[in-house]
Amino acid sequence: GAVVSQHPSWVICKSGTSVKIECRSLDFQATTMFWYRQFPKQSLMLMATSNEGSKATYEQGVEKDKFLINHASLTLSTLTVTSAHPEDSSFYICSAGGNQPQHFGDGTRLSIL
Amino acid sequence: AQSVTQPDIHITVSEGASLELRCNYSYGATPYLFWYVQSPGQGLQLLLKYFSGDTLVQGIKGFEAEFKRSQSSFNLRKPSVHWSDAAEYFCAVAPTGGGNKLTFGTGTQLKVEL
């Protein structure tokens, strides 16, 4: 079946650095991918919709300059957390799929020290 | 705006007992409906979905869910819970008219007692 791969699964970095997270659709093409953020013991909150070949659409309250999204190919979307700070520590999950249901990656645990 | 409510934050059941997780939604029309399961530190796995047709849908791992339009509900059930079912369960909705955005409920943490 369709698989979405997310990398890295876990990253720890110092405050002020930038971190890139990749989301790949392994056996299908995805013109649209989604990025979610999940705080401990909470639900998934949609951050942005990644559109292949065009700008991402961000949800209200999400800083586009803080969370840079690039969807340069039909199988890859990247989320870059720029100048990361401890409050950006969270679990980030991507999903992809032309139609429902969406297929989810295994998530990236980001810890900023 | 659409919303999804999962009234139970935590549920504890004994292994072998039956399970029902509640989900209610608020939407202008009948949306697509989903149940996902998440193990700690993992992504989401789709258990089942409802698009249209038979209101009782079967999913993986012995789960089923029933769509009740009159109650705007999509409750998840399993007749006999296994210890491996302990996880976080999320109900989600998506618009039928197009667009793939999912709106998630707050989740229900299931604990299984041996």
Side-chain angles (χ1 to χ4, degrees):
Chain A
V3 176
V4 173
S5 174
Q6 195 170 333
H7 178 81
S9 58
W10 184 44
V11 58
I12 301 175
C13 62
K14 293 181 179 179
S15 182
T17 59
S18 293
V19 179
K20 180 183 287 188
I21 303 170
E22 295 185 347
C23 180
R24 293 180 184 273
S25 57
L26 297 185
D27 58 357
F28 66 100
Q29 295 182 329
T31 56
T32 304
M33 293 184 177
F34 299 90
W35 288 97
Y36 295 84
R37 184 174 182 175
Q38 185 181 30
F39 290 105
K41 306 295 184 183
Q42 295 188 29
S43 187
L44 283 76
M45 298 300 296
L46 180 65
M47 297 175 65
T49 303
S50 174
N51 304 299
E52 188 270 334
S54 65
K55 292 182 179 180
T57 305
Y58 290 82
E59 296 298 304
Q60 188 173 7
V62 178
E63 299 175 62
K64 60 180 67 178
D65 294 331
K66 174 75 169 176
F67 299 99
L68 300 179
I69 291 174
N70 183 276
H71 195 153
S73 78
L74 287 170
T75 59
L76 174 64
S77 174
T78 60
L79 169 67
T80 300
V81 183
T82 62
S83 187
H85 288 91
E87 59 266 28
D88 299 322
S89 299
S90 190
F91 192 59
Y92 294 87
I93 307 177
C94 70
S95 73
N99 295 296
Q100 296 293 355
Q102 292 286 300
H103 302 280
F104 285 83
D106 285 336
T108 297
R109 173 73 59 193
L110 175 62
S111 297
I112 309 299
L113 304 178
Chain B
Q2 62 268 30
S3 66
V4 181
T5 301
Q6 292 180 247
D8 304 304
I9 299 174
H10 300 282
I11 283 185
T12 299
V13 299
S14 299
E15 188 174 39
S18 64
L19 171 71
E20 182 170 34
L21 302 182
R22 296 182 290 167
C23 173
N24 292 93
Y25 65 90
S26 175
Y27 206 78
T30 300
Y32 291 156
L33 297 158
F34 309 87
W35 274 99
Y36 286 89
V37 61
Q38 184 183 33
S39 296
Q42 300 293 313
L44 276 70
Q45 181 181 24
L46 179 68
L47 288 175
L48 45 78
K49 62 186 183 292
Y50 173 78
F51 287 176
S52 64
D54 192 346
T55 56
L56 184 63
V57 294
Q58 302 297 320
I60 63 172
K61 303 183 180 184
F63 286 93
E64 66 178 26
E66 184 173 13
F67 166 60
K68 292 185 177 180
R69 185 189 306 273
S70 62
Q71 299 176 20
S72 297
S73 69
F74 189 55
N75 295 346
L76 181 71
R77 301 193 294 250
K78 186 169 185 177
S80 179
V81 171
H82 188 263
W83 64 267
S84 60
D85 292 325
E88 186 88 19
Y89 290 80
F90 292 98
C91 181
V93 303
T96 56
N100 296 322
K101 288 185 181 181
L102 283 167
T103 300
F104 286 89
T106 50
T108 297
Q109 182 71 48
L110 174 64
K111 180 180 177 181
V112 180
E113 291 182 332
L114 300 177

